[in-house]
Amino acid sequence: MKSISSAVANLCTRRRCSQRLLPLRNPRGQISASTKTMRQFSYYSPSHNHGITFPNTTGSIKSGLSEPNRSDNLFRDLSTSQQSKQNHDSTKFLGYDLSHPDCNVPPSIAARVGTNLHLEPNHPLNTIKNIIEEFWQKRSSSLDFVIKSDLHPIVATENNFDALLIPPDHVSRSKSDTYYLDKNTVLRTHTSAHQTALLKSGIDRFLVTGDVYRRDEIDSSHYPIFHQMEGVKMFTETEFSEAGATTPSEKISVVEQDLKAALEELARELFGDVKMRWVDAYFPFTDPSYELEIYFNDEWLEVLGCGVVHRDIVKAVGRDDQVGWAFGLGLERLAMVLFSIPDIRLFWSKDERFSSQFATGEIVTFESYSKYPPCLKDISFWTSSVEGVDDSTFHPNDLNEVVRDVAGDLVERVELIDEFVHPKTKRTSNCFRISFRSMDRSLTNEEIDVLQNQIRDETVARLEVELR
């Protein structure tokens, strides 16, 4: 590949900017589930404990749930306005020190905790959530699903990983993938972080929806905050008796059949009469595991992940040999397809031209109200500091975090366009292209230059790299 000789290539030629996780592997070493699909599933992938709730929703669960080492009142009534008041000191967040070496949560992310887009009436995410919840309530018989949409996203590291059988050395635990408040506390990376606590509390069937947080790439379909829903259903002996299932294998078969039939119905509820197929998958927390794909808009689309709750998890929560299933899906992924929303940043837009299109609370086709030109800037740097020694700890998500902190939602995409190894020094250089584009207005070259210079300065200061 060609080396990049210029530290920053300015691709804007006029005053107005011109138009221009590793898959998890099963024990046999086979790649069974893509990062994209794992993101849809409610459990963790390389790519989300406490019974604390927000007001005016479903109420909190107390029994059997571990809580943060903080006062309950500290987590209640966490509105955006209150959050901004608490963060007048940008290094403090709900009693946590954002400047602590063990913490990698930036103030820009901390400020959005408590926004809860999935609870905003008529927001596309809220509409999808309501449709799915209503589906399960209509389908359930005597035992309704308990709805949990307000569990706090600050969770114990143990509940987010260990309780779900995520291996201690798994890449998903790295600070390049997960937001840590301290070694023992994270911003949940999936709503499954609440699964074991809810099962311990005695709830047999529940739907958990909430915001989840992951350090990730920057493009039109990835965002450090998104929303997931997990469903869990544990079966009773009466249900197995009625189905004529007595042995463990027969019970698992009944659970699988119920799971697949229900999720196929859900897919038809959302997408209509579409072709579907089941794909065998591997997740550490379900066994067996599956992915559901549908044929939609002339292509196969991964919709969700699911499976039979792993027997070790069931035993760990004190349910002996009980059998049940779990599924998980991403609300943004479904909403982008169903509403034809082209950019994930739009879900956070306060522009009335966006929100007014969804006032009916129904699925409608989004009509784009603008397409402003992008402004492209490049930044290149040496990732290793010593000649002949690859001592770099650089990860692309570290740069993404710097870019987000400086430019926020003005950045549409960050992509690696060149990697160069010097033939003599063996030092490695990366060049990244940053695409700036506002969803609401045209950007000027001058204002982007200011942001780009800030990004350059912060990249050197925070990532300890050498600009080229």
Side-chain angles (χ1 to χ4, degrees):
M1 301 179 71
K2 294 181 180 179
S3 63
I4 305 297
S5 59
S6 173
V8 178
N10 186 351
L11 303 181
C12 301
T13 58
R14 295 190 289 274
R15 178 177 178 79
R16 292 284 175 182
C17 296
S18 61
Q19 178 117 26
R20 301 277 198 193
L21 276 182
L22 296 177
L24 290 176
R25 296 176 181 269
N26 63 25
R28 297 179 182 177
Q30 299 169 323
I31 298 177
S32 306
S34 68
T35 296
K36 180 169 62 175
T37 302
M38 291 290 288
R39 177 175 296 281
Q40 298 156 21
F41 197 21
S42 58
Y43 298 115
Y44 199 87
S45 66
S47 57
H48 321 351
N49 327 17
H50 306 305
I52 301 170
T53 62
F54 293 112
N56 302 323
T57 45
T58 61
S60 63
I61 302 175
K62 295 284 187 177
S63 175
L65 299 188
S66 59
E67 299 188 354
N69 223 352
R70 302 288 187 270
S71 163
D72 278 9
N73 292 332
L74 190 62
F75 291 91
R76 299 187 185 279
D77 303 314
L78 187 63
S79 67
T80 303
S81 60
Q82 289 167 323
Q83 182 67 61
S84 63
K85 292 178 181 178
Q86 291 178 18
N87 285 342
H88 66 278
D89 179 354
S90 62
T91 66
K92 301 298 180 183
F93 171 64
L94 298 177
Y96 293 93
D97 182 2
L98 299 184
S99 64
H100 192 279
D102 292 334
C103 178
N104 65 344
V105 178
S108 59
I109 295 296
R112 292 197 176 185
V113 173
T115 303
N116 293 328
L117 296 180
H118 64 292
L119 297 180
E120 292 185 5
N122 298 333
H123 190 284
L125 301 183
N126 178 256
T127 297
I128 297 296
K129 168 185 170 294
N130 290 340
I131 291 173
I132 297 175
E133 288 177 350
E134 290 172 5
F135 166 82
W136 287 107
Q137 296 296 32
K138 287 188 298 184
R139 195 178 188 278
S140 63
S141 54
S142 58
L143 296 176
D144 289 338
F145 281 80
V146 175
I147 305 297
K148 292 293 171 182
S149 301
D150 53 4
L151 299 180
H152 202 278
I154 295 178
V155 302
T157 304
E158 180 180 1
N159 288 347
N160 197 77
F161 295 117
D162 303 272
L164 298 172
L165 310 181
I166 306 296
D169 60 348
H170 197 272
V171 64
S172 61
R173 294 175 180 256
S174 73
K175 294 181 74 173
S176 293
D177 287 73
T178 295
Y179 288 111
Y180 283 84
L181 286 163
D182 57 41
K183 291 182 179 179
N184 300 315
T185 314
V186 299
L187 293 179
R188 66 184 171 208
T189 61
H190 46 187
T191 49
S192 305
H194 304 285
Q195 183 188 106
T196 57
L198 290 170
L199 288 174
K200 285 180 181 178
S201 74
I203 301 176
D204 289 320
R205 303 172 186 203
F206 52 84
L207 299 172
V208 177
T209 307
D211 46 339
V212 297
Y213 300 77
R214 298 183 194 172
R215 304 183 83 215
D216 210 341
E217 58 196 283
I218 299 177
D219 60 30
S220 62
S221 62
H222 292 85
Y223 204 78
I225 309 168
F226 54 106
H227 300 74
Q228 287 187 337
M229 176 184 288
E230 165 171 297
V232 171
K233 176 182 176 180
M234 304 302 293
F235 284 66
T236 65
E237 284 302 319
T238 299
E239 289 173 305
F240 287 130
S241 178
E242 292 174 349
T246 57
T247 67
S249 60
E250 289 174 341
K251 292 178 180 179
I252 290 176
S253 178
V254 168
V255 170
E256 286 185 49
Q257 292 175 21
D258 181 81
L259 171 64
K260 290 183 176 181
L263 292 178
E264 287 174 3
E265 286 183 33
L266 175 60
R268 283 189 287 269
E269 180 79 11
L270 292 170
F271 295 96
D273 190 15
V274 294
K275 294 180 181 179
M276 289 178 250
R277 67 185 182 189
W278 288 97
V279 180
D280 290 340
Y282 169 72
F283 305 114
F285 22 74
T286 52
D287 182 29
S289 304
Y290 306 98
E291 298 163 2
L292 176 61
E293 298 181 353
I294 65 169
Y295 196 71
F296 190 75
N297 288 343
D298 298 323
E299 63 178 346
W300 285 102
L301 173 69
E302 298 168 357
V303 177
L304 51 82
C306 62
V308 177
V309 179
H310 199 288
R311 61 188 66 84
D312 290 344
I313 293 177
V314 175
K315 290 180 179 179
V317 299
R319 287 177 174 257
D320 299 324
D321 297 323
Q322 192 174 10
V323 187
W325 53 245
F327 76 87
L329 50 82
L331 295 186
E332 276 87 349
R333 179 167 176 76
L334 295 179
M336 290 180 77
V337 173
L338 292 170
F339 289 91
S340 299
I341 295 174
D343 194 310
I344 196 170
R345 295 176 298 164
L346 282 165
F347 291 112
W348 294 85
S349 175
K350 297 302 181 183
D351 194 313
E352 188 176 347
R353 291 174 293 178
F354 177 78
S355 58
S356 63
Q357 295 190 40
F358 312 105
T360 63
E362 300 175 348
I363 294 179
V364 297
T365 300
F366 171 68
E367 296 183 7
S368 181
Y369 49 83
S370 63
K371 187 64 174 179
Y372 296 100
C375 181
L376 308 182
K377 301 284 183 177
D378 290 359
I379 178 171
S380 60
F381 46 80
W382 299 107
T383 60
S384 52
S385 59
V386 180
E387 182 175 326
V389 178
D390 185 10
D391 60 347
S392 174
T393 60
F394 171 76
H395 190 285
N397 283 346
D398 299 331
L399 175 64
N400 292 334
E401 207 66 40
V402 170
V403 173
R404 285 193 183 100
D405 287 349
V406 172
D409 287 352
L410 290 181
V411 179
E412 181 179 57
R413 182 179 179 87
V414 175
E415 58 182 325
L416 178 66
I417 62 172
D418 185 38
E419 186 172 51
F420 167 70
V421 178
H422 195 283
K424 293 184 178 180
T425 67
K426 304 304 180 183
R427 296 177 72 190
T428 300
S429 170
N430 286 170
C431 179
F432 289 86
R433 177 155 296 164
I434 305 173
S435 300
F436 296 85
R437 191 204 303 261
S438 170
M439 296 176 288
D440 305 316
R441 62 184 178 86
S442 292
L443 302 173
T444 66
N445 193 37
E446 288 78 5
E447 67 178 310
I448 296 306
D449 280 343
V450 172
L451 293 176
Q452 180 72 357
N453 287 332
Q454 292 178 8
I455 289 172
R456 287 165 52 80
D457 292 342
E458 287 293 311
T459 297
V460 172
R462 292 165 55 177
L463 306 187
E464 299 180 351
V465 298
E466 180 184 345
L467 294 179
R468 295 191 61 201

